[in-house]
Amino acid sequence: MFEPKNNKILLPVQQAEYAYYHGLVKGLAIYLYLKFYTDGKIKSDSPILSQLRHDLRLKDSRTFKTHITALIEHNWIGYDPFSGMYFIRNTKFIRTLHEFRHRQATVVLPQDLKQFQIYLAAVLICKEVTDQEFYWDVVKKRRLRKATAKWAVAKHSGASSHSSNERPKYFGLCNKSIAAILHCKQTRACVIKTKAADLGYLQVKHKYKDVLEFAKPDFNIRSYLHEQYPNTAGRIRCWVKWKNNQKYYKLLLQLHDEIISQIKFKRIEKLSAIHLPIEVIRGINKAALKAA
DNA sequence: GCCTGAGTCGAGTCCACGTT
DNA sequence: AACGTGGACTCGACTCAGGC
């Protein structure tokens, strides 16, 4: 059994998104596995690769080859046919290649590779939630109204349907929003969210908001609210409660779930601080593809 | 080259309350 | 009492990548 040489890796969130949306989930798992267990290069007949296939449940060598070829095509891994060496490109290289400018990165641990699709989905969900927090706690405070029009509003776009200028009491997403982020149906989004919660990547809390309390039933209040606040349509709940032996009615608005991120994010260096000539990177890629 | 099972999605169920 | 509503969740059938 080989032990990992690194106990954690910083994965740029943009790279995680790219992998999720381009069918490179397994490929990225292989790439990270090689980063965990090698010091940047590995021979094609190394026993570590057998362990990789076992750990990532890739029993067929053709399956492994498919993913490796995809990684070479994306130039995340280089290959020299003469020496039979794979070269694992570093993060700086890949960020330069794809122009991944965002500085947000997630901390990946070796055990995250076992359920890597759920991990990546959790990263995308938690990123959205932390972006909401960032918008309200940093951008709003700075009052960069003009700047928000460009980039901060984009961050805020996935936030809840909160419309006032008041900071939301909590941050989260409904299944519909999660499905939109993960490019899947609500059913699948729900499954992934539940699994991510089971694996401890996020916490989910169901939420209701108190709207009104009144002593006598008022059957006009619902239509009044719908008229005044169309976005509450179908989400108003009325509960009968008791206080000091007195019956009273409570109107509540059903809200999206609160999601508490358990994923750790870190800031990585500016892309402009990385000095890698893009022509060299692309040249290396062409040579590797020919060889593969 | 055929078989298997993970991933996917539409349809259905559940829950808790509203409406007639 | 019977039916409606909407969000969360489950079921079962289908597809196709991966495995033998």
Side-chain angles (χ1 to χ4, degrees), chain A residues 19 26 30 47 53 58 60 63 88 101 173 229 235 243 275 277 292:
Chain A
K26 210 81 182 177
I30 292 172
R53 282 177 215 171
L58 297 164
D60 196 303
T63 310
I88 297 93
R101 295 188 177 279
L173 296 163
Y229 309 101
R235 294 161 59 211
K243 197 194 282 177
H275 303 292

PDB file of all heavy atoms in Angstrom, chain A residues 19 26 30 47 53 58 60 63 88 101 173 229 235 243 275 277 292:
ATOM      1  N   ALA A  19     -14.374  20.848 -14.490  1.00  0.00           N
ATOM      2  CA  ALA A  19     -14.422  19.382 -14.506  1.00  0.00           C
ATOM      3  C   ALA A  19     -15.869  18.893 -14.407  1.00  0.00           C
ATOM      4  O   ALA A  19     -16.282  17.985 -15.136  1.00  0.00           O
ATOM      5  CB  ALA A  19     -13.596  18.824 -13.344  1.00  0.00           C
ATOM      6  N   LYS A  26     -14.354  12.047 -13.091  1.00  0.00           N
ATOM      7  CA  LYS A  26     -13.454  10.911 -12.840  1.00  0.00           C
ATOM      8  C   LYS A  26     -12.013  11.303 -13.197  1.00  0.00           C
ATOM      9  O   LYS A  26     -11.064  10.919 -12.509  1.00  0.00           O
ATOM     10  CB  LYS A  26     -13.903   9.706 -13.687  1.00  0.00           C
ATOM     11  CG  LYS A  26     -13.581   8.382 -13.063  1.00  0.00           C
ATOM     12  CD  LYS A  26     -14.609   7.993 -12.004  1.00  0.00           C
ATOM     13  CE  LYS A  26     -14.247   6.678 -11.342  1.00  0.00           C
ATOM     14  NZ  LYS A  26     -15.199   6.325 -10.278  1.00  0.00           N
ATOM     15  N   ILE A  30      -8.640  11.227 -10.879  1.00  0.00           N
ATOM     16  CA  ILE A  30      -7.359  10.575 -11.226  1.00  0.00           C
ATOM     17  C   ILE A  30      -6.215  11.574 -11.097  1.00  0.00           C
ATOM     18  O   ILE A  30      -5.175  11.290 -10.504  1.00  0.00           O
ATOM     19  CB  ILE A  30      -7.417   9.991 -12.659  1.00  0.00           C
ATOM     20  CG1 ILE A  30      -8.403   8.815 -12.711  1.00  0.00           C
ATOM     21  CG2 ILE A  30      -6.036   9.560 -13.141  1.00  0.00           C
ATOM     22  CD1 ILE A  30      -8.684   8.299 -14.108  1.00  0.00           C
ATOM     23  N   PRO A  47       3.363   0.604  -9.977  1.00  0.00           N
ATOM     24  CA  PRO A  47       2.322  -0.080  -9.192  1.00  0.00           C
ATOM     25  C   PRO A  47       1.329   0.893  -8.543  1.00  0.00           C
ATOM     26  O   PRO A  47       0.234   0.474  -8.170  1.00  0.00           O
ATOM     27  CB  PRO A  47       3.118  -0.835  -8.127  1.00  0.00           C
ATOM     28  CG  PRO A  47       4.484  -0.248  -8.130  1.00  0.00           C
ATOM     29  CD  PRO A  47       4.717   0.325  -9.481  1.00  0.00           C
ATOM     30  N   ARG A  53      -6.360   2.478  -9.692  1.00  0.00           N
ATOM     31  CA  ARG A  53      -7.513   1.821 -10.321  1.00  0.00           C
ATOM     32  C   ARG A  53      -8.390   1.134  -9.283  1.00  0.00           C
ATOM     33  O   ARG A  53      -9.602   1.168  -9.368  1.00  0.00           O
ATOM     34  CB  ARG A  53      -7.036   0.792 -11.351  1.00  0.00           C
ATOM     35  CG  ARG A  53      -6.589   1.441 -12.645  1.00  0.00           C
ATOM     36  CD  ARG A  53      -6.069   0.405 -13.602  1.00  0.00           C
ATOM     37  NE  ARG A  53      -4.973   0.953 -14.383  1.00  0.00           N
ATOM     38  CZ  ARG A  53      -4.204   0.235 -15.173  1.00  0.00           C
ATOM     39  NH1 ARG A  53      -4.388  -1.054 -15.293  1.00  0.00           N
ATOM     40  NH2 ARG A  53      -3.240   0.789 -15.856  1.00  0.00           N
ATOM     41  N   LEU A  58     -11.745   1.623 -10.942  1.00  0.00           N
ATOM     42  CA  LEU A  58     -11.604   1.584 -12.406  1.00  0.00           C
ATOM     43  C   LEU A  58     -11.023   0.227 -12.757  1.00  0.00           C
ATOM     44  O   LEU A  58      -9.806   0.082 -12.876  1.00  0.00           O
ATOM     45  CB  LEU A  58     -10.672   2.706 -12.890  1.00  0.00           C
ATOM     46  CG  LEU A  58     -11.117   4.139 -12.647  1.00  0.00           C
ATOM     47  CD1 LEU A  58      -9.967   5.097 -12.814  1.00  0.00           C
ATOM     48  CD2 LEU A  58     -12.256   4.518 -13.564  1.00  0.00           C
ATOM     49  N   ASP A  60     -11.431  -1.763 -15.456  1.00  0.00           N
ATOM     50  CA  ASP A  60     -11.017  -2.023 -16.841  1.00  0.00           C
ATOM     51  C   ASP A  60      -9.932  -1.038 -17.258  1.00  0.00           C
ATOM     52  O   ASP A  60     -10.096   0.164 -17.097  1.00  0.00           O
ATOM     53  CB  ASP A  60     -12.240  -1.893 -17.751  1.00  0.00           C
ATOM     54  CG  ASP A  60     -11.985  -2.513 -19.109  1.00  0.00           C
ATOM     55  OD1 ASP A  60     -11.017  -2.097 -19.766  1.00  0.00           O
ATOM     56  OD2 ASP A  60     -12.741  -3.402 -19.509  1.00  0.00           O
ATOM     57  N   THR A  63     -11.064   1.758 -19.525  1.00  0.00           N
ATOM     58  CA  THR A  63     -11.727   2.879 -18.848  1.00  0.00           C
ATOM     59  C   THR A  63     -10.672   3.866 -18.358  1.00  0.00           C
ATOM     60  O   THR A  63     -10.789   5.071 -18.555  1.00  0.00           O
ATOM     61  CB  THR A  63     -12.531   2.362 -17.635  1.00  0.00           C
ATOM     62  OG1 THR A  63     -13.333   1.297 -18.077  1.00  0.00           O
ATOM     63  CG2 THR A  63     -13.385   3.445 -17.032  1.00  0.00           C
ATOM     64  N   ILE A  88       2.423  15.202 -14.190  1.00  0.00           N
ATOM     65  CA  ILE A  88       1.214  15.821 -13.649  1.00  0.00           C
ATOM     66  C   ILE A  88       1.433  17.332 -13.581  1.00  0.00           C
ATOM     67  O   ILE A  88       2.303  17.801 -12.841  1.00  0.00           O
ATOM     68  CB  ILE A  88       0.860  15.236 -12.261  1.00  0.00           C
ATOM     69  CG1 ILE A  88       0.553  13.748 -12.401  1.00  0.00           C
ATOM     70  CG2 ILE A  88      -0.354  15.920 -11.660  1.00  0.00           C
ATOM     71  CD1 ILE A  88       1.714  12.846 -12.172  1.00  0.00           C
ATOM     72  N   ARG A 101      -9.056  32.784 -13.444  1.00  0.00           N
ATOM     73  CA  ARG A 101      -8.586  33.959 -12.695  1.00  0.00           C
ATOM     74  C   ARG A 101      -9.060  33.976 -11.245  1.00  0.00           C
ATOM     75  O   ARG A 101      -8.428  34.584 -10.394  1.00  0.00           O
ATOM     76  CB  ARG A 101      -9.066  35.247 -13.377  1.00  0.00           C
ATOM     77  CG  ARG A 101      -8.455  35.421 -14.724  1.00  0.00           C
ATOM     78  CD  ARG A 101      -8.746  36.754 -15.367  1.00  0.00           C
ATOM     79  NE  ARG A 101      -8.022  36.805 -16.634  1.00  0.00           N
ATOM     80  CZ  ARG A 101      -6.745  37.111 -16.743  1.00  0.00           C
ATOM     81  NH1 ARG A 101      -6.057  37.437 -15.681  1.00  0.00           N
ATOM     82  NH2 ARG A 101      -6.139  37.097 -17.923  1.00  0.00           N
ATOM     83  N   LEU A 173     -30.165  27.550  -0.472  1.00  0.00           N
ATOM     84  CA  LEU A 173     -30.681  27.362  -1.825  1.00  0.00           C
ATOM     85  C   LEU A 173     -31.828  26.368  -1.807  1.00  0.00           C
ATOM     86  O   LEU A 173     -31.809  25.425  -1.010  1.00  0.00           O
ATOM     87  CB  LEU A 173     -29.580  26.800  -2.735  1.00  0.00           C
ATOM     88  CG  LEU A 173     -28.345  27.657  -2.997  1.00  0.00           C
ATOM     89  CD1 LEU A 173     -27.227  26.792  -3.534  1.00  0.00           C
ATOM     90  CD2 LEU A 173     -28.656  28.767  -3.967  1.00  0.00           C
ATOM     91  N   TYR A 229     -47.605  40.906  -2.705  1.00  0.00           N
ATOM     92  CA  TYR A 229     -46.289  40.263  -2.853  1.00  0.00           C
ATOM     93  C   TYR A 229     -46.424  39.017  -3.726  1.00  0.00           C
ATOM     94  O   TYR A 229     -46.522  37.898  -3.227  1.00  0.00           O
ATOM     95  CB  TYR A 229     -45.720  39.875  -1.482  1.00  0.00           C
ATOM     96  CG  TYR A 229     -45.728  41.004  -0.489  1.00  0.00           C
ATOM     97  CD1 TYR A 229     -46.709  41.083   0.501  1.00  0.00           C
ATOM     98  CD2 TYR A 229     -44.759  42.002  -0.546  1.00  0.00           C
ATOM     99  CE1 TYR A 229     -46.728  42.133   1.404  1.00  0.00           C
ATOM    100  CE2 TYR A 229     -44.768  43.049   0.355  1.00  0.00           C
ATOM    101  CZ  TYR A 229     -45.759  43.118   1.336  1.00  0.00           C
ATOM    102  OH  TYR A 229     -45.776  44.146   2.227  1.00  0.00           O
ATOM    103  N   ARG A 235     -46.674  29.902  -1.311  1.00  0.00           N
ATOM    104  CA  ARG A 235     -45.673  29.603  -0.286  1.00  0.00           C
ATOM    105  C   ARG A 235     -46.129  30.059   1.104  1.00  0.00           C
ATOM    106  O   ARG A 235     -45.376  29.989   2.056  1.00  0.00           O
ATOM    107  CB  ARG A 235     -44.335  30.261  -0.649  1.00  0.00           C
ATOM    108  CG  ARG A 235     -43.715  29.680  -1.913  1.00  0.00           C
ATOM    109  CD  ARG A 235     -42.689  30.615  -2.510  1.00  0.00           C
ATOM    110  NE  ARG A 235     -41.630  30.900  -1.572  1.00  0.00           N
ATOM    111  CZ  ARG A 235     -40.950  32.057  -1.542  1.00  0.00           C
ATOM    112  NH1 ARG A 235     -41.245  33.010  -2.385  1.00  0.00           N
ATOM    113  NH2 ARG A 235     -40.002  32.240  -0.642  1.00  0.00           N
ATOM    114  N   LYS A 243     -51.824  30.083  22.831  1.00  0.00           N
ATOM    115  CA  LYS A 243     -51.003  30.815  23.795  1.00  0.00           C
ATOM    116  C   LYS A 243     -51.912  31.229  24.954  1.00  0.00           C
ATOM    117  O   LYS A 243     -52.958  31.869  24.728  1.00  0.00           O
ATOM    118  CB  LYS A 243     -50.400  32.058  23.131  1.00  0.00           C
ATOM    119  CG  LYS A 243     -49.213  32.634  23.916  1.00  0.00           C
ATOM    120  CD  LYS A 243     -48.852  34.029  23.441  1.00  0.00           C
ATOM    121  CE  LYS A 243     -48.054  34.044  22.154  1.00  0.00           C
ATOM    122  NZ  LYS A 243     -47.768  35.403  21.671  1.00  0.00           N
ATOM    123  N   HIS A 275       3.902  33.427 -13.784  1.00  0.00           N
ATOM    124  CA  HIS A 275       4.587  33.766 -15.034  1.00  0.00           C
ATOM    125  C   HIS A 275       4.901  32.496 -15.820  1.00  0.00           C
ATOM    126  O   HIS A 275       5.935  31.893 -15.662  1.00  0.00           O
ATOM    127  CB  HIS A 275       5.867  34.549 -14.746  1.00  0.00           C
ATOM    128  CG  HIS A 275       5.607  35.788 -13.962  1.00  0.00           C
ATOM    129  ND1 HIS A 275       4.914  36.866 -14.478  1.00  0.00           N
ATOM    130  CD2 HIS A 275       5.887  36.113 -12.672  1.00  0.00           C
ATOM    131  CE1 HIS A 275       4.813  37.816 -13.565  1.00  0.00           C
ATOM    132  NE2 HIS A 275       5.390  37.377 -12.448  1.00  0.00           N
ATOM    133  N   PRO A 277       4.636  31.213 -19.875  1.00  0.00           N
ATOM    134  CA  PRO A 277       4.279  31.597 -21.244  1.00  0.00           C
ATOM    135  C   PRO A 277       3.262  30.628 -21.842  1.00  0.00           C
ATOM    136  O   PRO A 277       3.516  29.419 -21.908  1.00  0.00           O
ATOM    137  CB  PRO A 277       5.620  31.547 -21.990  1.00  0.00           C
ATOM    138  CG  PRO A 277       6.504  30.695 -21.154  1.00  0.00           C
ATOM    139  CD  PRO A 277       6.013  30.756 -19.744  1.00  0.00           C
ATOM    140  N   ALA A 292       0.303  10.513 -27.523  1.00  0.00           N
ATOM    141  CA  ALA A 292      -0.781   9.659 -27.014  1.00  0.00           C
ATOM    142  C   ALA A 292      -1.531   9.037 -28.175  1.00  0.00           C
ATOM    143  O   ALA A 292      -1.916   7.896 -28.157  1.00  0.00           O
ATOM    144  CB  ALA A 292      -1.716  10.486 -26.173  1.00  0.00           C
TER     145      ALA A 292
END
